Amino acid sequence: MAPSASGQTIGRKLPVESAFTRVEDARHRLPRLFGRRDMVVLGLGVMIGSGIFSLSGRQAAAVAGPAVIISFVIAAVVCLLAALCYAELSSTIPVSGSAYTFSYVTFGETWAWLVGWALVLELVTAASIVARVWGAYLLATLDGFGIGIPTGIAKFADPEANVNLVAPALLLLLTFMVVTGTKLSARVLTIVVSAKVAVILLVVIVGATHVKAENYKPFIPAAKAAPAESSPTLLGWILDLSFGPFGTMGIFTAASAIVFAFIGFDLIATASEDARNPRKTVPQGMLLGLGAVTVLYVAMAIVLVGLRPYGQLGGDAPVSEAMASVGVDWAANVVNLGALLALMTVIMVVLIAQSRVLFNMGRDGLLPKGLGRVSRVYSSPARAATAAGAAAIALTLYPKVLELEELLVIGSLFCFAFCAVGVLTLRRSEPNLERGFRVPLVPLIPLLSLAATIWLMLNLATSTWVKFIVWMLVGLAIYGLYGRWHSRLANEDEWDFDNADTDPGTGGLRVVRNENIGPNGKPRGRHMRH
């Protein structure tokens, strides 16, 4: 029997079986279309954004100097630790929803709501910000190819304009593509991701021939005092210290911002229900995608820092400006085109991920249940995708949306922390569940992931923390007024654990418990694909 709404909600957990069998009928199960390659493409699509063309230059010039290369490595290691935890949880509970669903099973409904609410913050902010930035690259690309845009029209593409019409138009187009079906989105993503990876490789290879060793000195510039008007980090506020740019702390401060560039591997888990054989393909896509992106980002940072002194890398287009400074003038057009393609795929994957989170929360009753339905026409969560696009369009109309960039990072790190603890908790509470992937060196790896995540969160500005706390309080109010009372767990008398709820041919999975423990102390486990 499920607990009533008047009972305890913090400890009201979604049974593991129900994570697999909660779909009311077959038409509300997402079709399984993605293979391993598609999952890797999803990861590359969202992780390779404009950051690869600008973030390394800005952080080198203003925060870390040439040691920004170390910052990228630190950020990659932190994300790898988190990705290992995500990989195990997504292979154990391979349904849409990512950290939200993991938390629902592991910690309970209230905690799951908070994690889901943090995911909504991360995704809607990402789509809104990136759509605004896309307009700037569109103008630069057109200008590079000699296509002039009248000033009266161009002003509506300015990322910082009070009235920006290009960003909403782009979001409307990409939302339409996500609503009308996953197959179309996957094909477009594959083509565009291939093109932008080719652009990045071309820039790295050509730029490597113009690197100068003296530009790497001093590798770690001397620390400077923090500007008086800057918002202190939470760690600095706690210790009553002011951490300025450069020096050793500059490396970690830059790493906290650079995590933004790697965020996206976690979004692969939101598409678990779209994947074929998700116990294997989701972890593989997550880890392979993160590995490929790490190589590209570190290579770009090494080349960029070597092209010119780090103090000159703070321009609007660091990569193309650095290439032009060594005589490779054509690079500006290539970089702008690559960034244009990169940003489009970021937005598309973010909208797909947002729709899956809303779909799951609607299916669980924490949001209006209409969001948890799959369109008969498009075989996609059309209502959830429409809501995701509408929210992003509304936020991108806010003139100061670019100032919310750190909310992306804190929302993601919040979910990382829950996944690290979730691995340890689920290993203890459900040791015999089938796991397509297992985190090595437990409990060391999850604890390291948790510690690294908390450290990066402490290095975010106090103003970001204030906004995040306000967002979470609003979320708690919505849950208390709506979600708590409309939750399926609060209103269903019982769960039918025998109902597999799998549409023939979709390759759905159901929970597997293997009571036979092998000689290594681990459950043998096996696949139960239909």
Side-chain angles (χ1 to χ4, degrees):
M1 300 289 288
S4 65
S6 60
Q8 184 180 7
T9 57
I10 293 180
R12 187 166 68 199
K13 297 181 181 179
L14 180 70
V16 178
E17 289 83 354
S18 300
F20 293 84
T21 64
R22 59 188 167 167
V23 186
E24 294 180 1
D25 53 63
R27 80 175 192 271
H28 297 309
R29 173 179 285 283
L30 298 172
R32 296 192 181 274
L33 302 173
F34 291 160
R36 179 175 62 183
R37 184 192 66 180
D38 300 306
M39 304 309 285
V40 173
V41 167
L42 277 176
L44 296 179
V46 71
M47 283 187 280
I48 302 177
S50 65
I52 197 167
F53 301 107
S54 59
L55 194 59
S56 54
R58 294 202 309 266
Q59 293 299 317
V63 183
V68 73
I69 298 169
I70 299 178
S71 300
F72 270 95
V73 174
I74 292 173
V77 170
V78 171
C79 289
L80 175 61
L81 293 172
L84 291 172
C85 297
Y86 266 88
E88 175 167 325
L89 292 174
S90 61
S91 74
T92 308
I93 311 170
V95 296
S96 62
S98 185
Y100 159 75
T101 303
F102 307 154
S103 299
Y104 210 159
V105 171
T106 307
F107 303 110
E109 187 173 279
T110 303
W111 296 114
W113 168 265
L114 290 175
V115 171
W117 195 239
L119 275 172
V120 170
L121 172 67
E122 171 194 347
L123 298 172
V124 72
T125 307
S128 304
I129 291 175
V130 175
R132 281 246 176 179
V133 175
W134 187 86
Y137 280 98
L138 175 64
L139 293 178
T141 302
L142 294 175
D143 184 65
F145 287 102
I147 303 175
I149 302 295
T151 305
I153 298 177
K155 67 180 182 180
F156 294 113
D158 186 350
E160 298 183 357
N162 289 332
V163 180
N164 185 303
L165 300 180
V166 171
L170 175 65
L171 286 169
L172 189 63
L173 173 63
L174 296 180
T175 299
F176 173 77
M177 294 180 65
V178 174
V179 167
T180 53
T182 307
K183 277 188 176 180
L184 174 63
S185 303
R187 289 169 183 166
V188 173
L189 274 175
T190 301
I191 295 171
V192 176
V193 167
S194 300
K196 71 179 181 180
V197 169
V199 168
I200 294 167
L201 291 175
L202 179 63
V203 171
V204 168
I205 292 171
V206 174
T209 62
H210 296 82
V211 166
K212 296 180 181 179
E214 57 266 26
N215 289 331
Y216 295 105
K217 301 175 183 178
F219 190 70
I220 303 178
K224 296 183 178 180
E229 68 279 3
S230 64
S231 176
T233 65
L234 182 62
L235 181 64
W237 179 77
I238 293 172
L239 300 178
D240 195 23
L241 296 174
S242 178
F243 299 114
F246 306 114
T248 302
M249 286 304 300
I251 296 174
F252 289 101
T253 302
S256 297
I258 288 170
V259 166
F260 164 73
F262 289 92
I263 288 173
F265 71 85
D266 54 317
L267 303 188
I268 297 176
T270 64
S272 292
E273 206 166 310
D274 299 86
R276 300 187 298 269
N277 192 12
R279 294 193 194 278
K280 294 293 184 182
T281 56
V282 173
Q284 289 170 352
M286 199 177 295
L287 298 176
L288 288 173
L290 182 59
V293 167
T294 298
V295 171
L296 291 175
Y297 267 113
V298 172
M300 180 66 85
I302 292 173
V303 169
L304 180 60
V305 171
L307 287 176
R308 67 194 307 195
Y310 70 88
Q312 301 176 20
L313 296 175
D316 294 332
V319 175
S320 56
E321 291 171 3
M323 296 287 278
S325 71
V326 295
V328 190
D329 297 321
W330 54 263
N333 291 338
V334 174
V335 169
N336 288 334
L337 182 60
L340 199 65
L341 296 174
L343 293 176
M344 285 184 64
T345 61
V346 169
I347 298 171
M348 185 178 293
V349 177
V350 165
L351 290 176
I352 291 173
Q354 179 76 290
S355 68
R356 271 49 178 180
V357 172
L358 296 178
F359 169 75
N360 242 35
M361 296 177 80
R363 198 162 63 177
D364 292 334
L366 302 185
L367 289 175
K369 64 180 181 180
L371 296 174
R373 299 190 179 277
V374 175
S375 168
R376 289 176 179 265
V377 178
Y378 304 118
S379 297
S380 70
R383 295 182 184 182
T386 301
I393 290 171
L395 184 58
T396 202
L397 294 175
Y398 174 53
K400 297 183 180 180
V401 67
L402 297 181
E403 298 177 6
L404 305 179
E405 185 176 87
E406 274 198 356
L407 286 176
L408 286 158
V409 179
I410 196 169
S412 299
L413 293 177
F414 184 79
C415 297
F416 289 2
F418 269 84
C419 285
V421 179
V423 169
L424 299 175
T425 304
L426 207 59
R427 284 279 188 102
R428 185 180 65 253
S429 63
E430 294 282 358
N432 297 332
L433 282 180
E434 179 188 4
R435 290 169 169 83
F437 175 87
R438 299 179 70 90
V439 177
L441 302 176
V442 172
L444 178 61
I445 296 298
L447 289 176
L448 285 176
S449 176
L450 180 62
T453 298
I454 293 175
W455 172 258
L456 290 181
M457 293 179 78
L458 289 174
N459 279 278
L460 294 174
T462 53
S463 58
T464 298
W465 275 94
V466 170
K467 292 173 184 150
F468 180 68
I469 291 171
V470 170
W471 172 262
M472 299 307 280
L473 290 175
V474 171
L476 278 175
I478 294 174
Y479 173 73
L481 294 173
Y482 182 90
R484 180 187 179 193
W485 307 102
H486 292 81
S487 164
R488 279 188 63 179
L489 284 184
N491 293 288
E492 287 190 348
D493 292 332
E494 62 181 84
W495 290 87
D496 183 4
F497 296 134
D498 296 326
N499 176 19
D501 192 37
T502 304
D503 193 14
T506 61
L509 296 175
R510 67 184 182 191
V511 65
V512 175
R513 284 191 176 87
N514 193 334
E515 302 300 336
N516 297 318
I517 306 299
N520 59 357
K522 298 179 181 178
R524 289 193 173 94
R526 62 187 179 88
H527 288 286
M528 292 289 288
R529 298 190 71 238
H530 287 207

